Amino acid sequence: VGGAMSSLRLLQTGRPYQLPPLTSGLAPDSVKGLEEWRAVVERAAAIAAEAAADKASRRRPQQSAK
């Protein structure tokens, strides 16, 4: 949680309580050891880089052949 966000959730009287959103991804204790954690992080970074490159390539205007 960054400085701009609070980890506390305000309760507003008179309104029903709403659970926080579900998390996604791996549970912190599901990775056994530093090397496995590093492999997971590196794979996630590679997937994110591939998605960003794909998105960038779709934004570029197509150059016409002469």
Side-chain angles (χ1 to χ4, degrees):
V1 176
M5 284 177 62
S6 171
S7 61
L8 302 176
R9 300 190 74 221
L10 297 175
L11 290 177
Q12 298 178 4
T13 58
R15 298 186 72 185
Y17 177 75
Q18 189 174 26
L19 292 172
L22 296 175
T23 59
S24 61
L26 294 173
D29 60 354
S30 67
V31 177
K32 311 292 186 240
L34 178 62
E35 291 305 316
E36 186 178 349
W37 174 83
R38 185 175 306 200
V40 169
V41 170
E42 288 174 353
R43 182 65 187 134
I47 291 170
E50 290 170 12
D54 183 50
K55 186 176 181 180
S57 70
R58 285 184 277 146
R59 286 189 186 177
R60 287 190 208 121
Q62 297 293 325
Q63 295 179 351
S64 59
K66 290 184 178 179

